[in-house]
Amino acid sequence: EIGLLTNLIDINIGDNAFTGPIPSEVAQLTNLVTLSMGGNFFTGTLFSELGGSLTKLTHLALLGNQINGTIPSEIGLLAELEYLDLAANTFSGTLPSQVGSLTSVLDFYIDGNRLLGTIPTEIGLWTNLVSFDCDSNQLNGTIPTEFGLLTARSMSYDFHSNQFTGNLPSELGNLSSLTHLSVRDNLLTGNIPTEFGKLSFLELLWLFQNQFNGTIDYCDNFPATPRVDCLQVNCSCCVDPNRVSCDDV
């Protein structure tokens, strides 16, 4: 009967012990702004009607459940969405290109799933993005250069524990507000872009368990020494995950 509560604007039932599939009747709550159901034991798939009906939704949090299947392409219809957290479920398949339509999104979390394929280049439309986390999936291909176009507010990008290949995009050096960048445990190669020397607010740069080479010689550019795990890269002011000076490696 939850579908009868048509004036409902906020559902927050996180951190309980609810089980079973998310009721499809939730899609009838067309005034809903917040749907927070994380930290339960929900199963089943994410129904496609969610995107077509909940057009006022700004906050969708389903993290830490047991939801499976693919992320429906209709999720791109949530044009007002600012916060999306699907982390720590068992979503599979690819990330639909329609997510590029989420142009209001600030925080996007899909970490800890079983997603495959590449990150759609349409993410270049997310001009308000602050945080992006896709770690611990099976994503591949290159890290899209389009992330480097999101210069206004971007602060934290986490790509670690996937199967990304190729070089780190030099365009990431344009992210003047970036504080955290983790690409560790991938298949990345090449040098660390010199453009990273412009990241004056950088606090953490995780590079470990890739195939990088070369030198980081611009640490003096930073107002404070960032934490960088750089066992495969020569540098003078960085530390590895065990806090060993790179001068000692």
Side-chain angles (χ1 to χ4, degrees), residues 80-247:
E80 302 298 318
L81 198 66
E82 298 177 356
Y83 181 94
L84 176 66
D85 195 343
L86 304 179
N89 282 283
T90 56
F91 286 108
S92 57
T94 59
L95 190 60
S97 61
Q98 287 83 356
V99 297
S101 298
L102 302 177
T103 54
S104 298
V105 74
L106 303 174
D107 303 290
F108 188 93
Y109 305 113
I110 53 172
D111 47 299
N113 282 286
R114 300 174 183 174
L115 295 170
L116 305 167
T118 59
I119 297 176
T121 58
E122 286 82 358
I123 56 89
L125 301 173
W126 295 351
T127 53
N128 296 308
L129 188 67
V130 175
S131 299
F132 177 88
D133 192 343
C134 67
D135 80 73
S136 303
N137 280 284
Q138 301 173 46
L139 298 169
N140 56 36
T142 58
I143 295 174
T145 59
E146 285 77 7
F147 276 107
L149 304 176
L150 312 177
T151 57
R153 306 178 63 180
S154 297
M155 296 181 64
S156 177
Y157 288 175
D158 194 337
F159 302 97
H160 86 254
S161 300
N162 280 285
Q163 299 170 19
F164 291 116
T165 55
N167 297 336
L168 270 178
S170 60
E171 290 82 357
L172 295 179
N174 297 326
L175 302 175
S176 57
S177 299
L178 195 67
T179 61
H180 293 71
L181 176 62
S182 177
V183 296
R184 63 183 305 169
D185 192 18
N186 279 286
L187 303 170
L188 297 166
T189 56
N191 296 329
I192 309 304
T194 57
E195 288 82 358
F196 280 23
K198 298 185 295 183
L199 300 175
S200 57
F201 290 99
L202 192 66
E203 298 174 1
L204 182 150
L205 176 60
W206 278 171
L207 307 172
F208 190 57
Q209 293 178 321
N210 282 284
Q211 300 170 35
F212 292 124
N213 53 52
T215 299
I216 296 177
D217 55 7
Y218 43 78
C219 289
D220 291 340
N221 295 6
F222 303 118
T225 302
R227 295 177 60 199
V228 183
D229 61 346
C230 49
L231 287 178
Q232 296 140 296
V233 179
N234 295 320
C235 65
S236 60
C237 64
C238 310
V239 295
D240 74 9
N242 299 312
R243 296 178 178 268
V244 176
S245 168
C246 285
D247 288 337

Side-chain angles (χ1 to χ4, degrees), residues 20-74:
I22 297 173
S24 60
E25 290 80 6
V26 169
Q28 300 173 24
L29 307 177
T30 55
N31 289 307
L32 206 60
V33 174
T34 299
L35 179 57
S36 183
M37 308 176 84
N40 284 285
F41 300 95
F42 287 114
T43 56
T45 59
L46 186 58
F47 47 90
S48 59
E49 295 84 357
L50 184 77
S53 301
L54 305 183
T55 55
K56 297 180 181 179
L57 202 65
T58 64
H59 184 109
L60 176 59
L62 302 177
L63 68 156
N65 282 286
Q66 300 168 16
I67 304 170
N68 56 37
T70 59
I71 297 175
S73 60
E74 289 81 1

